[in-house]
């Protein structure tokens, strides 16, 4: 590995000041699971690492009026196992449970996952479905963005140089809604998904889909919301025929690439199958 | 660049100055001579390098020694003191034939310890889910499952 300096500031202003001072030559490190691997492979060679691990304000989970505020350096394992997440955000707990293995989730942080911009990660579709947003801070300003605006392209994000993800905000799911996160894993249980689907359904008193949200991962340059598939079911009784129609629509909405996990055409077909299954599971949960 | 680090390793306070790029696994093996922790895939996938960081399993091959500063590391050497009886997890792997070449074993043992410390009575499914990322190329997973079951007192 190349030579670099390691900084471990204890306050956010200090961390932001270091990022400003070293500019392009600085890189934030949180859990390091991605960054250390990239540095070992010489794909990233920053001269300065600014660790967020000791920055107190980025730790911890707080319940506020607009939802759950998860600090950027909270580990993915801590989200998965937090009792309040398991009871009120079961979809979130289930999604983080499916990331890699325990020994990775014990290190990998929520903020590191968001900032990496990898469309093959598990949390993005779920966070789209839950309508989550992120707060970004620089030495100049603080701003909050919906996650749909965070991921801008293949491994590209709206995080600007000198900016740090400070927290993830996840609103409560609609009352009585059912949800599902499904990850198609034909190779090993700890693999990245061939295709992943998050779905959330809320039914009205007549049993029609009042609120319906579907998003997919590993199915395009960023995680995608299947808005046309949602429209097929919105306001309608979720019959088997309509669920299949929505699944077929999702097949047309995704843009997966061919890789070791399958051809693009195969992944489109799998997307349809998994959207159907996720909808069935979410609807059963809502009933 | 040099980095001063201060941490606990197997209960002992350690202070060293290391290059910032030193990986935790290399720090353990080369700087401290604790060669029980093995390296196989080097990218977080196989589990051979599993150690406990503040009691939680972690891949030491993709963690910098600097990241471990201020924290408590437990390696396989820390399970049984010199000359003393083996830790029940280690003994269970011997009793059940849970290893052959042994390269993956320290990682398996540390992963199993991490599991039993958080969940002393895991079901078979819970053992499988927890251990699934610790790869073994020779023993076969039934014996490993059996070892963890035995360590849990079943
Ligand atoms: C073996 C392995 C298997 C994996 N399998 C899966 C999987 O199945 N599913 C899945 O979803 N993911 C998987 N991952 C990816 C995992 O989710 C990421 O490695 C993790 O989320 C990164 O978090 P981190 O804290 O370690 O980030 P780091 O490695 O510390 O940082 C990652 C990137 O984000 C930047 N960054 C970190 N924190 C911030 C912040 N607060 N603000 C701004 N920028 C920041 C860093 O500069 C770097 O560019 C896997 C990773 C590994 C190593
Ligand atoms: S050597 Fe670290 S996980 Fe394989
Ligand atoms: S005992 Fe040889 S790899 Fe597991």
């Amino acid at each position: 590995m190349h030579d670099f300096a390691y900084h471990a500031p204890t306050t956010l202003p200090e961390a932001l000041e270091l990022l400003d001072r070293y500019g392009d030559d600085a890189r934030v490190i949180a859990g390091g699971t991605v960054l250390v691997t990239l540095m070992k492979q010489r794909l990233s060679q920053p001269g300065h690492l600014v660790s967020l691990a000791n920055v107190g304000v980025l730790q911890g989970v707080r319940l506020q009026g607009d939802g759950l505020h998860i600090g950027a350096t909270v580990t993915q394992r801590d989200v998965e196992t937090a009792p309040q997440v398991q009871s009120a955000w079961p979809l979130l707990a289930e999604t983080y449970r499916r990331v890699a293995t325990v020994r990775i989730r014990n290190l990998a942080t929520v903020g590191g996952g968001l900032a990496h911009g990898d469309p093959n990660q598990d949390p993005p579709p779920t966070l789209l479905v839950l309508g989550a947003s992120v707060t970004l801070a620089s030495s100049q300003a603080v701003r909050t963005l919906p996650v749909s605006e965070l991921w801008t392209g293949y491994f590209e994000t709206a995080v600007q140089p000198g900016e740090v993800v400070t927290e993830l905000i996840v609103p409560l799911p609609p009352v009585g809604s059912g949800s599902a996160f499904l990850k198609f894993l034909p190779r090993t249980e700890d693999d990245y998904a061939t295709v992943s689907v998050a779905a959330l359904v809320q039914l009205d008193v007549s049993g029609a889909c009042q609120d319906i949200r579907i998003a997919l991962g590993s199915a395009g340059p960023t995680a995608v919301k299947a808005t046309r598939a949602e429209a097929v079911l919105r306001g309608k009784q979720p019959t088997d025929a309509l669920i299949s129609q929505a699944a077929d629509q999702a097949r047309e909405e995704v843009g997966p690439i061919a890789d070791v996990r399958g051809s693009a055409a195969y992944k489109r077909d799998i997307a349809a199958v998994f959207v159907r299954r996720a909808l069935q599971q979410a609807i059963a949960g809502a009933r | 660049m040099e980095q001063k680090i201060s941490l606990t390793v197997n209960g002992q306070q350690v202070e060293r100055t290391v290059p910032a790029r030193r990986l935790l696994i290399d720090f353990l093996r080369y700087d401290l001579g604790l060669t029980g922790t093995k390296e196989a895939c080097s990218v977080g996938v196989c589990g051979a390098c599993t150690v406990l960081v503040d009691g939680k399993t972690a891949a030491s091959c993709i963690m910098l020694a600097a990241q471990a500063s201020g924290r408590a590391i437990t390696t396989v050497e820390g399970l049984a003191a010199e000359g003393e009886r083996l830790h029940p997890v280690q003994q269970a792997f011997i009793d059940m034939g849970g290893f052959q070449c042994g390269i993956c074993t320290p990682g398996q043992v540390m992963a199993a310890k991490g599991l039993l410390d958080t969940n002393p009575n895991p079901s078979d499914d819970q053992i499988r889910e927890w251990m699934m990322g610790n790869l073994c190329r020779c023993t076969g997973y039934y014996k490993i499952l059996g070892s963890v079951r035995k360590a849990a007192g079943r």
Side-chain angles (χ1 to χ4, degrees):
Chain A
M1 213 187 293
H2 70 289
D3 192 26
F4 56 82
Y6 185 88
H7 308 268
T10 53
T11 68
L12 187 57
E14 266 180 276
L16 296 172
E17 200 270 318
L18 285 162
L19 290 178
D20 285 347
R21 189 184 321 157
Y22 297 112
D24 276 354
D25 201 25
R27 200 86 199 158
V28 164
I29 180 167
T33 57
V34 160
L35 192 58
V36 173
T37 307
L38 291 177
M39 292 194 305
K40 286 175 78 166
Q41 296 168 340
R42 298 184 184 262
L43 292 170
S44 181
Q45 304 197 321
H48 296 267
L49 290 195
V50 178
S51 167
L52 300 182
N54 298 339
V55 177
V57 292
L58 302 180
Q59 297 161 3
V61 173
R62 293 181 315 280
L63 190 58
Q64 292 185 10
D66 56 351
L68 196 65
H69 289 233
I70 304 174
T73 59
V74 173
T75 65
Q76 301 197 358
R77 175 75 177 159
D78 281 346
V79 178
E80 166 201 355
T81 54
Q84 60 182 343
V85 176
Q86 289 179 341
S87 62
W89 286 268
L91 179 62
L92 198 62
E94 170 62 10
T95 304
Y96 279 110
R97 185 181 76 82
R98 304 304 304 276
V99 172
T101 52
V102 181
R103 73 171 171 277
I104 299 297
R105 299 199 294 281
N106 279 335
L107 299 174
T109 66
V110 167
L114 294 168
H116 188 42
D118 178 350
N120 302 312
Q121 286 183 329
D122 301 313
T126 287
L127 297 176
L128 282 174
V129 153
L130 290 172
S133 44
V134 287
T135 302
L136 303 170
S138 69
S139 58
Q140 309 299 315
V142 175
R143 59 185 180 131
T144 298
L145 291 180
V147 288
S148 57
E149 292 170 25
L150 176 68
W151 301 299
T152 54
Y154 191 62
F155 288 93
E156 281 176 17
T157 69
V159 183
Q160 296 302 307
E163 246 182 352
V164 158
V165 175
T166 57
E167 64 179 2
L168 172 67
I169 306 164
V170 191
L172 268 174
V175 179
S177 57
S179 58
F181 175 76
L182 299 182
K183 184 175 177 184
F184 181 49
L185 292 169
R187 303 182 345 146
T188 59
E189 272 296 295
D190 58 348
D191 199 6
Y192 286 92
T194 295
V195 168
S196 65
V197 178
L200 182 146
V201 177
Q202 184 190 34
L203 302 173
D204 66 17
V205 281
S206 76
C209 297
Q210 182 175 331
D211 195 344
I212 165 130
R213 310 176 195 172
I214 305 165
L216 295 98
S218 303
T222 66
V224 287
K225 201 117 184 298
T227 49
R228 281 180 283 141
E230 293 171 349
V232 170
L233 281 163
R234 186 166 293 117
K236 306 274 174 51
Q237 292 289 330
T239 59
D240 287 349
L242 268 191
I243 291 171
S244 293
Q245 205 179 311
D248 288 341
Q249 189 57 249
R251 179 198 276 114
E252 306 311 316
E253 281 185 86
V254 296
I257 52 167
D259 62 14
V260 289
R261 294 182 183 81
S263 67
Y266 175 69
K267 291 185 188 179
R268 279 182 190 277
D269 285 347
I270 290 296
V273 172
F274 276 75
V275 165
R276 179 160 46 76
R277 289 184 193 168
L279 284 172
Q280 284 164 340
Q281 198 173 310
I283 290 162
R287 276 187 178 134
Chain B
M1 225 88 64
E2 301 282 290
Q3 182 72 20
K4 195 158 176 258
I5 62 171
S6 157
L7 64 164
T8 336
V9 179
N10 297 333
Q12 297 201 332
Q13 186 63 32
V14 176
E15 302 211 1
R16 289 289 161 98
T17 300
V18 297
R21 63 175 173 220
R22 180 77 87 236
L23 292 165
L24 178 58
I25 188 165
D26 293 337
F27 175 71
L28 295 169
R29 289 178 56 87
Y30 300 116
D31 293 334
L32 302 186
L34 297 172
T35 52
T37 305
K38 305 301 183 209
E39 180 165 19
C41 73
S42 310
V43 288
V45 174
C46 77
C49 67
T50 305
V51 298
L52 303 184
V53 177
D54 291 338
K56 294 176 178 171
T57 55
S60 62
C61 70
I62 52 170
M63 187 171 173
L64 299 171
Q67 289 178 274
S69 193
R71 310 180 78 173
I73 310 299
T74 310
T75 70
V76 71
E77 288 91 343
L79 296 188
E82 194 93 35
E84 288 193 9
R85 253 199 290 160
L86 290 178
H87 186 276
V89 176
Q90 294 172 306
Q91 192 60 50
F93 271 77
I94 294 175
D95 294 346
M96 301 306 288
F99 59 92
Q100 287 186 15
C101 81
I103 281 287
C104 73
T105 311
Q108 304 280 3
V109 166
M110 297 315 289
K113 178 169 190 329
L115 168 62
L116 298 175
D117 286 351
T118 39
N119 178 2
N121 293 303
S123 66
D124 281 1
D125 279 349
Q126 286 171 328
I127 298 175
R128 281 199 191 92
E129 186 188 328
W130 185 283
M131 301 293 295
M132 58 91 166
N134 281 79
L135 305 185
C136 175
R137 294 292 84 159
C138 28
T139 307
Y141 297 104
Y142 288 102
K143 297 257 184 189
I144 292 171
L145 176 66
S147 303
V148 182
R149 216 190 262 138
K150 171 98 192 264
R154 285 201 280 134

